[in-house]
Amino acid sequence: MDPQTPRHVVQRFNAEVIQDGNRVSFEQLMAPGFVNRSAPPGAPDNAEGDKVTTRKTIAKVHSGELMGIAPTGRSVTIDVIDIVRVENGRYAEHWGINSLAAVLALLRIN
């Protein structure tokens, strides 16, 4: 396997840095402009390219039908992490995770 492939780099990071605590491997695997998108508020955000990562929380009162669930009047909070690849000023690709399924499950409980 090519040691430069993203898969190999991540596998190496997991084994050598997380599992073994190898500081030398950490220094070798971190790019000079590395940005930790999961860092606490105030962490630097200085990487640019064709992908943009956002982390957000959507908080509202469930006052209208949501995916077939009648309004409950309860407060809901959905946590979201999105990665969007932009091409020619338009969304070209999207990856994301969110807590919508957990929120819907809670709304179904009376």
Side-chain angles (χ1 to χ4, degrees):
M1 180 184 298
D2 178 359
Q4 297 296 313
T5 64
R7 183 178 186 169
H8 184 267
V9 170
V10 172
Q11 288 173 338
R12 184 174 167 211
F13 183 89
N14 289 340
E16 296 176 22
V17 177
I18 294 174
Q19 181 179 319
D20 299 339
N22 187 324
R23 181 68 185 185
V24 172
S25 293
F26 178 83
E27 296 296 333
Q28 291 172 346
L29 293 168
M30 293 296 105
F34 171 74
V35 176
N36 182 353
R37 302 287 185 195
S38 298
D45 181 12
N46 57 359
E48 286 289 329
D50 65 349
K51 292 184 186 76
V52 176
T53 302
T54 61
R55 179 177 178 192
K56 54 195 160 271
T57 299
I58 301 166
K60 298 285 183 180
V61 172
H62 181 214
S63 60
E65 185 176 303
L66 177 63
M67 301 187 80
I69 301 172
T72 63
R74 297 201 269 179
S75 294
V76 295
T77 302
I78 302 169
D79 296 310
V80 180
I81 297 174
D82 287 320
I83 302 170
V84 177
R85 186 175 70 79
V86 177
E87 183 178 285
N88 298 322
R90 301 175 78 179
Y91 275 47
E93 292 182 81
H94 168 265
W95 301 262
I97 59 172
N98 62 61
S99 62
L100 179 60
V103 169
L104 293 174
L106 287 173
L107 289 174
R108 288 187 178 105
I109 299 172
N110 291 327

